Amino acid sequence: MTNGRTAKPVHLAVYDTLADWESGHATAHLARGGYEIRTVALDAGRPVTTIGGVRIEPDLALDELRPEDSSLLILTGADLWDTGADLAPFARKARAFLDAGVPVAAICGATAGLAREGLLDDRAHTSAVPMYLAATGYKGGGRYVDADAVSDGGLITAGPTEPVAFAREILGGLGVFEGELLDAWYRLFHDSDATAYETLQGAQG
């Protein structure tokens, strides 16, 4: 297991109507692995409210965030991805991260935002269904993969029903769990496999 305490923070993008459940597995186990989780919003001075009614006080503003200060940018789904261009600045920030060689993880509606930004045109990716991304007019339909989660070129994507697979790619990519332990973690939280818990406990003991 990588010591996250020696690494840069992980940044979680937060905005109104954020889908609470999509990043929970990832952020919880990143934090337990020693990574600091910092929330980033368009306006650091204004709380955001998730789709579940949870109010979040952001740690910093998006224009303050630099790729070189981060280990990963996580973008979750939100109604706002599909109702206008309010969240487009997050997609542009994702481009800056990828251009700098810093990974980005996007799930659900955030994948559509990245599609509109052109970030899925040349990378293997997934989402809810191909038609969802096709509606954005993007040029990457030939790179769509029918899978729970996909990693390619520093970008992780997943559909809205796969928060555990999404977390698996994140945790593996940042070295929180690797190999047999990563497989055991996934079997425990995705498949409710009790034998996987024994594997994890044995490794941590």
Side-chain angles (χ1 to χ4, degrees):
M1 180 184 295
T2 298
N3 181 3
R5 291 180 178 82
T6 65
K8 298 172 184 177
V10 168
H11 289 89
L12 172 67
V14 295
Y15 23 74
D16 289 332
T17 72
L18 176 152
D20 310 58
W21 61 93
E22 292 176 347
S23 61
H25 286 282
T27 54
H29 289 276
L30 285 168
R32 294 190 73 176
Y35 281 91
E36 178 188 4
I37 308 298
R38 303 203 72 203
T39 54
V40 55
L42 289 173
D43 180 357
R46 187 183 73 83
V48 301
T49 303
T50 73
I51 201 169
V54 177
R55 285 168 57 85
I56 298 173
E57 295 276 356
D59 292 315
L60 74 161
L62 185 63
D63 61 6
E64 299 175 301
L65 176 61
R66 304 186 308 166
E68 58 266 34
D69 297 330
S70 183
S71 290
L72 172 73
L73 174 63
I74 300 176
L75 302 170
T76 70
D79 293 343
L80 291 179
W81 285 112
D82 298 318
T83 57
D86 289 354
L87 301 187
F90 288 98
R92 291 194 291 271
K93 184 66 71 171
R95 176 181 291 281
F97 266 61
L98 293 170
D99 287 348
V102 182
V104 172
I107 185 171
C108 189
T111 62
L114 299 193
R116 295 185 189 96
E117 182 64 19
L119 296 176
L120 305 186
D121 290 351
D122 301 312
R123 294 177 175 87
H125 60 274
T126 194
S127 184
V129 289
M131 296 80 76
Y132 174 60
L133 293 185
T136 68
Y138 85 131
K139 301 176 182 177
R143 304 299 304 275
Y144 189 93
V145 180
D146 186 11
D148 294 344
V150 173
S151 297
D152 184 33
L155 177 63
I156 296 167
T157 52
T161 61
E162 298 298 339
V164 180
F166 184 59
R168 176 192 61 200
E169 298 302 307
I170 291 171
L171 299 175
L174 292 187
V176 174
F177 295 115
E178 298 173 328
E180 181 183 5
L181 289 181
L182 182 62
D183 176 67
W185 182 90
Y186 183 72
R187 287 188 290 110
L188 176 62
F189 287 96
H190 189 267
D191 303 327
S192 299
D193 183 345
T195 64
Y197 178 78
E198 297 172 2
T199 300
L200 287 169
Q201 286 297 99
Q204 295 170 355

